[in-house]
Amino acid sequence: MDDSVRVWHPTVPFVREVLHATFEHHVYPAHTHDAWAVLMVDDGAVAYDLDRTGHFAVPDSVTLLPPHVPHNGRSAVGGETYRKRVIYLDEGWLPARLADATVARPTLQGNAAAATVAGIHAALRSPGEMMAAEYGILSLQEIVQGHLGTASSPPRDVPLARRLRQMLDDRLDESFTITEAARILGTHPSHLVRAFSQAYGIAPHRYVIGRRVDLARRLLLAGRAPAEAAAEAGFHDQAHLTRHFRRVLGTTPGTFAA
């Protein structure tokens, strides 16, 4: 199998770039990044040294490489291919003080971390799911802080949650990010997500999707074609509407309208 690399830059807050790669022969020399690297190995295994200490990255786990810390990488078994996905996140995604703790514990085990990172990648591949990807990145932030023993439990902020819900309702057919909403509301994106989820028991992007599906349902009943309903309800396109309509209501927009 030939080595292959695909790299792109999604327009999602915190994300510098995304890399999908398959390597059989390539060996990374020691190098650094000015970003946090979130590594998931899908096939094979990667052996790497982080700040001169050896580690392994294997499937069903997530590896976090902090900014400005030297690391290398190679197949853990000579001549065996490995396939990996990496998300590079802004240096300010996590506090700089967590870099040393991450060097000591770079591997996140457990279903929560792997499922969150897999969900981020799925959202990054799907047009119209920018807020879902951003939510996953903010959720991973909390998972990492818990893994490193620095998580906190701030008090509930119901007034802030209400303000965000009103904004989401008022701008239901618009595309904007949690980061933009946090800037307008004068708070941090992580705190905004936490406040909303605590108050309403649902993530902001799930709330938006549910409201949009409900609006599309009413538009279909009023005689709109599925493509028109998708556009008016704020979906990226008809396929985007169909995917979520089927997940929420168990049928397609076309079948529902008929």
Side-chain angles (χ1 to χ4, degrees), residues 12-149:
V12 175
F14 303 106
V15 179
R16 291 275 192 89
E17 64 185 55
V18 179
L19 178 146
H20 290 189
T22 300
F23 288 129
E24 179 179 0
H25 307 292
H26 181 64
V27 175
Y28 283 98
H31 63 287
T32 66
H33 302 289
D34 62 350
W36 291 89
V38 180
L39 165 67
M40 175 175 277
V41 174
D42 295 304
D43 292 308
V46 175
Y48 67 97
D49 299 302
L50 180 63
D51 197 25
R52 296 170 293 185
T53 300
H55 300 275
F56 292 95
V58 298
D60 300 321
S61 67
V62 174
T63 298
L64 189 63
L65 304 174
H68 308 296
V69 178
H71 57 278
N72 55 23
R74 59 203 176 276
S75 175
V77 179
E80 185 171 304
T81 298
Y82 66 90
R83 186 164 57 92
K84 68 173 186 174
R85 291 178 286 174
V86 186
I87 306 171
Y88 295 96
L89 299 170
D90 287 339
E91 189 172 350
W93 175 65
L94 286 174
R97 59 183 171 79
L98 296 185
D100 289 343
T102 304
V103 168
R105 301 182 63 196
T107 304
L108 283 69
Q109 301 283 4
N111 294 333
T116 298
V117 175
I120 295 169
H121 280 286
L124 290 172
R125 290 195 306 269
S126 303
E129 298 293 346
M130 179 169 63
M131 189 180 286
E134 184 185 17
Y135 173 77
I137 290 163
L138 293 170
S139 298
L140 182 62
Q141 195 177 65
E142 292 201 5
I143 291 171
V144 171
Q145 290 174 328
H147 167 73
L148 298 176

Side-chain angles (χ1 to χ4, degrees), residues 166-187:
Q166 188 63 55
M167 180 184 294
L168 296 176
D169 289 343
D170 291 344
R171 301 175 60 179
L172 194 61
D173 61 347
E174 299 179 32
S175 294
F176 62 96
T177 66
I178 296 168
T179 300
E180 291 175 48
R183 189 180 303 117
I184 293 169
L185 296 174
T187 188

